[in-house]
Amino acid sequence: MAESSDQELLQDKSYEPRSLTDEEKLKLNENTRISDFQKENLEKNAKKNWDLFYKRNEDRFFKDRHWITREFSDLKDALSKISSQEGQMKVLEVGCGVGNLIFPLLEEEKGLFVYACDFSPVAIDLVKKNASYDVNRCLAFVADLTQGDLTSHVPPESIDIVTLVFVLSAIHPDKMVAAIRNIKQVLKPSGCVWLRDYGLYDHAMLRFQPSHKIDENFYFRQDGTRAYYFSLDTMRQMMADGGMTAEELCYVHRRTENKKEQLSVPRVFIQGKFIATAQS
């Protein structure tokens, strides 16, 4: 859950993770893990925990992601280019939540049709109730990327651009590759995936107590939702195993400032652009 009312200022992009203090290294080196029973319960209740999250917060937790075309520097150009060449461009927003990305995108780019899916039926219901939801330009549906088949809602090889923003981190690492392969089925051979997610040694990762550690770089929050923190190598290899090649991949280093509480903390995200790996 990377967004809040705090002010986030862009620092820089790099290929190196954040340096840790000795105290932070000691905390991360603790070998405490939750029990297998707890792990199984978190996996079994994953959908329920996200449903409860959206029932509690509705559309009030995340801010609209108007930053998407600014932070992904050539995404806006790609959107405009494809729209002008091919007419209505098709975008798939995976893990759409309550529509904080799709509605700003539809407002900015008039030549889009957006498919939007989420694990949570409650989130999809909120998307469809939004006054900006237009069935002529958007189709929202419930999907479990790790089990279902996206082609039951989206034609194979029909999507120009997939946006994958803070999604893979919520999935169990053992199931991430299956999710990527599912996405690849609906991506055009010329299409691409734009990704942002949590990066290794993000401040949120270091705040977790050892009792909330599921596995290496994988934690659960108080409400039962989970978060994985990626290194560049882990993300690159996982996407490759799913049939995707990294064209761009880096860490995004930010500082989140809360002036009221006089806090300034380091945030680390991972950002990339991926294309389907050419078949040999």
Side-chain angles (χ1 to χ4, degrees), residues 43-44 46-47 94-95 117-121 124 141-150 152-153 167 170-172 175 178-180 182-183 185 226:
E43 179 66 18
K44 183 174 69 176
K47 180 177 287 190
V94 178
C117 66
D118 200 276
F119 191 37
S120 167
I124 292 299
F141 59 95
V142 177
D144 180 350
L145 290 178
T146 68
Q147 294 182 1
D149 189 338
L150 283 174
S152 61
H153 292 91
V167 174
I171 298 173
H172 193 286
K175 297 183 177 182
I180 295 162
N182 199 355
I183 291 167
Q185 290 186 92
R226 299 170 297 180

Side-chain angles (χ1 to χ4, degrees), residues 30-229:
E30 293 186 34
N31 289 320
T32 306
R33 299 285 194 281
I34 62 173
S35 68
D36 289 343
F37 176 76
Q38 288 174 292
K39 293 178 184 179
E40 289 169 9
N41 269 343
L42 286 168
E43 179 66 18
K44 183 174 69 176
N45 294 319
K47 180 177 287 190
K48 184 179 86 170
N49 289 333
W50 278 110
D51 275 342
L52 289 172
F53 172 85
Y54 286 115
K55 283 179 181 177
R56 245 187 342 265
N57 297 289
E58 295 186 337
D59 60 356
R60 298 183 298 270
F61 189 86
F62 297 116
K63 296 180 288 186
D64 280 350
R65 292 165 172 166
H66 290 281
W67 50 264
I68 191 74
T69 52
R70 180 183 71 247
E71 298 270 339
F72 291 103
S73 56
D74 55 349
L75 175 58
K76 190 173 181 65
D77 291 339
L79 289 168
S80 300
K81 182 178 179 181
I82 295 171
S83 293
S84 63
Q85 289 178 348
E86 303 181 19
Q88 190 176 48
M89 189 178 91
K90 293 180 174 61
V91 172
L92 170 63
E93 161 68 350
V94 178
C96 64
V98 297
N100 299 99
L101 188 152
I102 61 172
F103 293 126
L105 205 56
L106 285 166
E107 182 182 346
E108 289 179 27
E109 300 293 334
K110 303 304 182 185
L112 296 186
F113 185 92
V114 176
Y115 292 92
C117 66
D118 200 276
F119 191 37
S120 167
V122 174
I124 292 299
D125 189 49
L126 289 166
V127 169
K128 291 181 176 180
K129 288 179 179 177
N130 191 299
S132 298
Y133 185 73
D134 179 356
V135 294
N136 295 309
R137 298 190 63 206
C138 187
L139 173 64
F141 59 95
V142 177
D144 180 350
L145 290 178
T146 68
Q147 294 182 1
D149 189 338
L150 283 174
T151 58
S152 61
H153 292 91
V154 184
E157 296 188 358
S158 64
I159 298 297
D160 296 287
I161 289 176
V162 175
T163 55
L164 198 58
V165 180
F166 300 110
V167 174
L168 289 178
S169 53
I171 298 173
H172 193 286
D174 291 347
K175 297 183 177 182
M176 290 180 188
V177 172
I180 295 162
R181 288 174 178 161
N182 199 355
I183 291 167
K184 187 185 176 186
Q185 290 186 92
V186 299
L187 190 66
K188 287 181 179 178
S190 60
C192 59
V193 175
W194 297 82
L195 175 145
R196 174 175 280 201
D197 221 316
Y198 297 109
L200 193 66
Y201 308 147
D202 177 43
H203 177 72
M205 174 181 176
L206 298 172
R207 289 181 61 191
F208 282 110
Q209 295 302 313
S211 59
H212 280 245
K213 189 170 187 176
I214 302 170
D215 217 327
E216 194 69 23
N217 303 332
F218 193 35
Y219 298 82
F220 73 96
R221 304 181 183 92
Q222 202 67 38
D223 62 5
T225 60
R226 299 170 297 180
Y228 186 90
Y229 295 82

Side-chain angles (χ1 to χ4, degrees), residues 2-17:
E3 293 154 293
S4 70
S5 58
D6 297 337
Q7 184 180 11
E8 290 190 344
L9 303 175
L10 181 63
Q11 272 199 314
D12 68 312
K13 296 179 181 179
S14 79
Y15 301 107
E16 299 297 329

